[in-house]
Amino acid sequence: MPYDIDEAPHQFTPIGPLDGFWPIEDYAALGDGRSVALVAPDGSTDWWCVPNLDSPALFDRLLNRPGGFFQIRPVGKFRVTRRYRKDSNVLESLIETEHGKARLTESLNSSLAGRLPWTEFARRIEGISGRITFIVRLRLGTRCGQVSPWIQSNPNGQVFHIGSVVALLRHSDNVRIVKERDQSVEAEVVIGEKTRATIALQAAEDEPLGVPPIEEIDARIETSDHAWQEWAAGLHYDGPYRERVRRSALALKLLLSSSSGAIAAAATTSLPENPEGGKNWDYRFAWVRDAAYVANSFLRLGTIPEVKAALAWLVHHLGAHGPLVMYSLAGEPVSAESQMEEVEGYRGSLPVISGNRATEQHQHGIYGDIFETAALFVAHGNILDLKSAHLLSGLADQCADRWRQKDSGIWELTERQHYTMSKISCWQALSRACQMAERGHLPKDCLPRWQRERDRITEWVGENCWSEERQAYTFYAGSHDLDASIALAAPFGFDGKDRLISTLHAIRRELGRGPFLYRYSGMEKEEGAFLACSCWMVEALALVGLRDEATSLFDEFLSALPDNTGIMAEMIDPETGRYLGNTPQGLSHLGVIHAACALAGKSIRAFEQEKPL
């Protein structure tokens, strides 16, 4: 999608079509296996947490005006058309002005050996025709009001200090510095036909910062592009919607920590789920649910190293801290939710928060998520070690004890109930535990007990969660409301077909708005439609034999998404077609992969087979 962008703003005033803010869907994402940067169409990087995805933000203009940002754009009006390079997370923008054309290529760099020992944001401008003057604006953020940046000169460069972070602006000789202050730099460069310039920012936290030549930084753009392509070459999927699947896999890879195997739910905090504001959460943590679903997606695509890393990370921290809903990317318990004062919020939406209140909850769904991932892992011919097997056996015992209790459910609600999906997740966990024990992957000591409790859950759900009046499984026992997440019962293998089909159609009728679905009854008054729910519905319809209905829904869903670089947020406003919530969102992208795999007949389910692909 091309963007027509007006005159350059004065000083550090942002320009965007929504009260000075760019719509969430207009941001492209860059990553290096450690952090994620969000870049607007006007060349402004408005979000970048350094050095890690869950660190305080170095560029925070997404939430805090005037905030920190890093912008490269031509003087005057211009048109920009953006795309990722094929099978890569390196971004290219074609820039057209009345004076000529140029290409801006951007990358969070890596090396041939993997992640760099520092973060390196490289931006290259290349002239195609004519002559264009570009302006460079760097404003260092206050890490959402926590620090005050300052500059220090030494023989090796102008060093910025942002709390514990040190940063260095690097550039080729043809870039002219116009102003340089404690918190900001302004520069300009004239680009003619077949000329180029490179501007980069290097940063590290509480450690020395290497300073390579600018030519080496520029060359690493191509190294990074090659690394992305090499990784994408290992994706084993040639079915329908191939390019969508590959782009979603690349987006998911942005959320995976290369050092630990942890998978973040999203790259941002506090982007509102409601068009009117509110319902703001911090998603820069590793939920067991999201990590398991992403691992399952990678399993379907044949990327075994990422799956092994994710599973090993989960098992290790489950052993260290017990079955929590989420962990920090470093594997520690997540701090309780706290509000950042003196921060404006996206389009004025408050609160801006760090931490997450769900860290203190218990959700039965974590049992099903863990066991599905482990069962799929061994179903693809892989091996569990004895320590992991004993840990999983203990979790199965715990699940067998706790399934009768109320919990907070998949949607992390403050009201504890006997949520139907939570019971189904416990059934899923014990079903997979039985399967793995029968096949020699887990100790068999408690197998008879797991079998009996699994069957009791089936009976309990049938007696307490089925509504004859609604002809559907309800949100929780005794409720008449519906829950879109029950579509996940199909890939879990729960239910005989007829009741599940009836439930799926009831969900579409009540919670659907075109191709989109709200999470559960009443949410149309509070938030946008949850993108993953549409994909779960596609997968479920395909698996219960309604392939034509599933294909039609998926085609309509994909066509209704914004025309952008392919990055998906958490939710969408069905009325305006604008994204809501944090971005890039792992659940949305993995939903696309699961739906496409189901339509391609590649929905590998642990309860159906155990053999390498």
Side-chain angles (χ1 to χ4, degrees):
M1 172 183 175
Y3 296 85
D4 292 309
I5 300 177
D6 211 337
E7 299 287 344
H10 298 293
Q11 296 182 339
F12 296 104
T13 305
I15 283 184
L18 297 175
D19 306 326
F21 289 79
W22 282 100
I24 294 169
E25 64 269 16
D26 287 341
Y27 282 97
L30 306 174
D32 60 358
R34 178 191 296 188
S35 61
V36 173
L38 298 184
V39 186
D42 64 351
S44 180
T45 304
D46 291 343
W47 184 256
W48 188 28
C49 296
V50 172
N52 301 312
L53 186 148
D54 57 351
S55 300
L58 178 65
F59 300 140
D60 55 4
R61 187 161 74 165
L62 185 68
L63 299 177
N64 190 32
R65 300 303 170 96
F69 66 95
F70 181 20
Q71 183 181 45
I72 298 177
R73 58 159 292 162
V75 174
K77 297 181 180 180
F78 67 101
R79 167 170 284 200
V80 60
T81 305
R82 305 190 302 168
R83 67 173 183 85
Y84 288 106
R85 287 185 177 180
K86 183 175 176 58
D87 287 342
S88 175
N89 280 319
V90 172
L91 183 69
E92 287 190 341
S93 300
L94 176 64
I95 295 170
E96 302 174 84
T97 76
E98 61 179 336
H99 303 293
K101 296 182 181 180
R103 180 181 297 107
L104 175 63
T105 304
E106 301 171 274
S107 169
L108 278 180
N109 279 344
S110 57
S111 71
L112 288 174
R115 198 183 73 186
L116 292 167
W118 55 79
T119 56
E120 184 174 281
F121 186 8
R123 314 180 81 177
R124 176 200 297 155
I125 316 168
E126 299 172 277
I128 298 173
S129 64
R131 185 178 175 87
I132 304 175
T133 298
F134 282 83
I135 54 175
V136 180
R137 291 189 175 98
L138 170 66
R139 181 185 176 94
L140 295 166
T142 61
R143 306 190 102 183
C144 289
Q146 297 182 37
V147 300
S148 184
W150 57 284
I151 193 170
Q152 180 182 42
S153 298
N154 71 42
N156 296 336
Q158 299 289 87
V159 181
F160 288 98
H161 297 268
I162 314 96
S164 57
V165 170
V166 293
L168 193 64
L169 181 66
R170 311 295 309 290
H171 57 82
S172 50
D173 292 340
N174 53 347
V175 176
R176 184 175 69 90
I177 301 296
V178 178
K179 294 179 182 179
E180 194 168 54
R181 299 170 181 168
D182 271 338
Q183 195 171 347
S184 63
V185 175
E186 293 186 52
E188 67 176 32
V189 58
V190 178
I191 299 295
E193 185 175 352
K194 297 183 180 179
T195 62
R196 62 196 284 173
T198 302
I199 301 117
L201 190 70
Q202 295 178 266
E205 183 173 41
D206 284 334
E207 60 186 21
L209 182 62
V211 185
I214 189 66
E215 294 79 12
E216 186 176 315
I217 295 174
D218 180 87
R220 271 199 287 267
I221 295 175
E222 303 308 319
T223 301
S224 304
D225 182 49
H226 178 72
W228 285 117
Q229 291 183 30
E230 284 287 305
W231 182 81
L235 298 174
H236 302 299
Y237 181 84
D238 292 310
Y241 313 100
R242 181 177 183 273
E243 294 309 312
R244 282 279 188 177
V245 168
R246 295 175 81 81
R247 178 48 53 197
S248 282
L250 284 158
L252 289 175
K253 181 68 169 169
L254 291 173
L255 300 174
L256 192 149
S257 171
S258 61
S259 62
S260 69
I263 300 171
T268 56
T269 178
S270 305
L271 293 182
E273 298 175 357
N274 187 317
E276 304 302 320
K279 301 197 79 168
N280 302 351
W281 317 113
D282 190 352
Y283 278 2
R284 298 170 300 155
F285 308 113
W287 269 255
V288 171
R289 173 194 63 212
D290 296 54
Y293 290 178
V294 173
N296 294 350
S297 291
F298 284 155
L299 268 172
R300 296 179 190 212
L301 301 178
T303 55
I304 301 300
E306 285 77 13
V307 178
K308 184 271 176 190
L311 182 58
W313 184 89
L314 272 175
V315 168
H316 175 74
H317 296 295
L318 285 166
H321 302 292
L324 304 179
V325 172
M326 70 187 77
Y327 303 86
S328 73
L329 299 185
E332 298 299 316
V334 173
S335 60
E337 180 179 297
S338 63
Q339 297 188 14
M340 300 182 197
E341 298 181 359
E342 312 299 331
V343 181
E344 176 186 355
Y346 178 77
R347 299 189 69 195
S349 176
L350 294 174
V352 173
I353 64 173
S354 63
N356 197 287
R357 70 183 187 189
T359 186
E360 299 174 356
Q361 292 182 352
H362 172 74
Q363 299 170 20
H364 291 334
I366 61 175
Y367 297 121
D369 299 334
I370 294 164
F371 275 94
E372 186 73 12
T373 302
L376 280 168
F377 185 71
V378 298
H380 283 65
N382 303 297
I383 301 298
L384 290 177
D385 61 285
L386 290 177
K387 182 178 179 180
S388 297
H390 283 289
L391 175 66
L392 290 170
S393 295
L395 288 173
D397 289 338
Q398 189 179 123
C399 177
D401 280 330
R402 299 187 72 172
W403 73 265
R404 294 181 183 274
Q405 302 173 13
K406 294 180 179 181
D407 77 326
S408 296
I410 187 174
W411 302 124
E412 302 179 346
L413 302 176
T414 54
E415 181 183 7
R416 290 167 57 86
Q417 288 285 358
H418 289 294
Y419 291 105
T420 304
M421 197 60 219
S422 295
K423 307 304 183 188
I424 293 174
S425 294
C426 289
W427 174 91
Q428 174 195 19
L430 293 176
S431 177
R432 303 302 185 267
C434 292
Q435 172 189 309
M436 287 193 288
E438 290 164 353
R439 298 177 181 179
H441 299 295
L442 296 181
K444 295 183 179 181
D445 308 48
C446 293
L447 174 59
R449 187 212 178 186
W450 298 343
Q451 292 170 330
R452 292 193 298 272
E453 293 296 338
R454 175 197 62 194
D455 296 341
R456 289 186 184 113
I457 295 173
T458 303
E459 294 172 4
W460 196 96
V461 171
E463 292 174 1
N464 296 279
C465 301
W466 172 258
S467 169
E468 285 294 331
E469 178 184 345
R470 303 300 307 269
Q471 285 295 292
Y473 290 115
T474 58
F475 193 9
Y476 52 85
S479 170
H480 290 281
D481 293 337
L482 300 180
D483 172 14
S485 75
I486 293 177
L488 290 168
F492 293 174
F494 183 84
D495 183 78
K497 187 173 174 181
D498 292 341
R499 279 190 170 186
L500 189 51
I501 289 176
S502 179
T503 301
L504 296 176
H505 287 151
I507 289 170
R508 290 199 68 186
R509 285 192 304 270
E510 181 167 314
L511 305 185
R513 297 295 185 275
F516 303 119
L517 290 169
Y518 290 99
R519 293 187 295 152
Y520 52 91
S521 299
M523 284 302 96
E524 71 279 0
K525 300 173 184 177
E526 297 185 18
E527 63 188 30
F530 198 78
L531 291 169
C533 286
S534 295
C535 299
W536 297 345
M537 179 61 68
V538 170
E539 183 179 19
L541 291 170
L543 293 178
V544 298
L546 302 177
R547 181 181 175 83
D548 290 344
E549 184 178 346
T551 301
S552 176
L553 175 60
F554 198 43
D555 288 340
E556 187 182 357
F557 169 79
L558 294 176
S559 297
L561 296 178
D563 182 13
N564 66 354
T565 58
I567 293 298
M568 298 172 67
E570 180 185 16
M571 296 183 179
I572 194 168
D573 183 345
E575 300 299 323
T576 65
R578 293 202 180 280
Y579 280 156
L580 297 164
N582 288 303
T583 190
Q585 177 80 9
L587 280 176
S588 300
H589 284 287
L590 70 89
V592 167
I593 295 172
H594 285 201
C597 286
L599 291 172
K602 280 184 63 94
S603 184
I604 307 303
R605 291 172 281 175
F607 65 89
E608 285 189 337
Q609 61 177 316
E610 182 175 350
K611 60 183 179 180
L613 291 179

